[in-house]
Amino acid sequence: MLKLMGIAAVMMFINPGSQYHLTLKHGQTEAVIERADITDDFPGFDLIDLDKLSLLIEEFDSKFYIPAKNAIVNEHGGIEPEKVGWQIDRQKLIELMYTFFYSNHSLTNSVPVLPIYPKVDSELLSEINARQIGRYATFFNSINQARTHNMTLAVKAIDNVVVFPGESFSFNKVVGKRTASKGYMRAPVIVKGELAEDIGGGICQVSSTLFNAVDHTGVQIVERFSHSRKVPYVPPGRDATVSWYGPDFVFKNNLNQPILIKAKISNGNVLVRIYSSESVISENNP
């Protein structure tokens, strides 16, 4: 940026026509920038307004950002391939903006982008989908539609998550804050030993099912708390209560291979299976 500011100082007396514009394209997306969009209002000079430029760069960040998508195992057991994402090359875009600003003509250019490679590709997924090292199922009454709905959202959030060696999995971070805007509904929860209703009620059954699936596979249980009263879906002491502003369920992958979490909910049943490669060293022999 300092180098570019130096260029601006040398060329500050140039006064190219204001009718010119910069057209940037990426795939089917196009943006047009007028000189006024990045011009300082300082009288008598044509200078780039660094604040306007910064805001424009941020706008481009969101407009042209395409996140990478990991390969996943679909509900039929097949592997859906990964997709490479894109983000703007901020430095090259700034240089392009300066080139346009101090040119006497309009410009059309491709948006300078950098690839974002997915963390999990098809090759890795096929390798760690080879051996089941953990499994646990719990059951519930599907008549309570709000509770079932909440559990379905949480199951979808943890499904296909890959935890690499040395990495920690946080249920709260992966599932995210349970809010009405995200589709979570009010359902029964346990608060200080008493039944109540709150947004996201029911997801503790998902975290408890996950805990029992990963326990004894060789991972390290970093954080786990039990409810203040007995719950019906797991034996006493085998639950993992979670709350956004309270307890979390966290484990660390101490295995020599990544692990894959597969979660499914159907017909009053929550099923979590844990997979890894054939070469994984595990305490469990499924």
Side-chain angles (χ1 to χ4, degrees), residues 14-89:
I14 296 178
N15 184 24
S18 59
Q19 72 274 21
Y20 303 127
H21 57 268
L22 171 63
T23 302
L24 294 172
K25 297 181 179 181
H26 182 67
Q28 300 299 315
T29 307
E30 181 177 301
V32 177
I33 298 98
E34 307 290 342
R35 292 188 75 256
D37 295 335
I38 53 175
T39 300
D40 195 344
D41 296 327
F42 192 81
F45 300 99
D46 269 335
L47 294 171
I48 287 183
D49 186 315
L50 297 181
D51 290 332
K52 288 183 179 180
L53 179 61
S54 178
L55 288 174
L56 197 59
I57 296 298
E58 295 302 322
E59 183 180 336
F60 269 73
D61 257 338
S62 59
K63 187 179 183 68
F64 291 98
Y65 173 74
I66 301 175
K69 291 186 178 181
N70 288 332
I72 63 169
V73 178
N74 61 32
E75 58 184 6
H76 305 295
I79 293 180
E80 296 182 10
E82 70 282 1
K83 293 183 179 179
V84 175
W86 302 96
Q87 63 183 355
I88 64 167
D89 186 327

Side-chain angles (χ1 to χ4, degrees), residues 97-112:
M97 293 286 192
Y98 272 83
T99 299
F100 157 66
F101 190 83
Y102 294 110
S103 297
N104 287 315
H105 52 81
S106 295
L107 293 176
T108 299
N109 207 89
S110 297
V111 178

Side-chain angles (χ1 to χ4, degrees), residues 5 33 82 140 148 151 167 185 233 237 249 264 270 276:
M5 290 175 66
I33 298 98
E82 70 282 1
F140 62 93
T148 302
M151 287 193 292
E167 284 188 347
M185 305 170 68
Y233 43 81
F249 170 54
K264 181 180 180 181
V270 178
S276 193

Side-chain angles (χ1 to χ4, degrees), residues 128-266:
I128 64 175
N129 192 35
R131 178 183 175 191
Q132 181 177 288
I133 63 173
R135 181 185 185 279
Y136 201 80
T138 59
F139 302 88
F140 62 93
N141 188 345
S142 58
I143 292 178
N144 189 325
Q145 296 183 0
R147 189 175 185 276
T148 302
H149 176 77
N150 293 339
M151 287 193 292
T152 300
L153 292 179
V155 163
K156 288 181 179 179
I158 67 172
D159 185 42
N160 273 296
V161 170
V162 174
V163 186
F164 286 80
E167 284 188 347
S168 291
F169 171 98
S170 161
F171 188 90
N172 279 342
K173 288 182 180 178
V174 171
V175 175
K177 189 175 182 180
R178 280 70 79 179
T179 63
S181 63
K182 291 184 178 180
Y184 285 94
M185 305 170 68
R186 298 184 68 85
V189 296
I190 298 175
V191 180
K192 296 181 179 180
E194 300 295 330
L195 280 176
E197 280 204 352
D198 198 4
I199 297 292
I203 67 168
C204 289
Q205 180 163 349
V206 178
S207 57
S208 297
T209 308
L210 175 61
F211 159 62
N212 283 278
V214 299
D215 199 25
H216 306 304
T217 62
V219 305
Q220 175 189 353
I221 305 301
V222 177
E223 183 178 342
R224 179 184 73 91
F225 298 90
S226 289
H227 289 81
S228 52
R229 63 182 289 179
K230 182 180 177 181
V231 293
Y233 43 81
V234 291
R238 297 300 299 173
D239 56 324
T241 182
V242 292
S243 173
W244 182 251
Y245 292 110
D248 194 4
F249 170 54
V250 182
F251 68 84
K252 183 178 181 180
N253 181 8
N254 285 338
L255 303 175
N256 65 328
Q257 296 292 330
I259 61 173
L260 167 67
I261 300 171
K262 287 297 298 172
K264 181 180 180 181
I265 184 170
S266 64

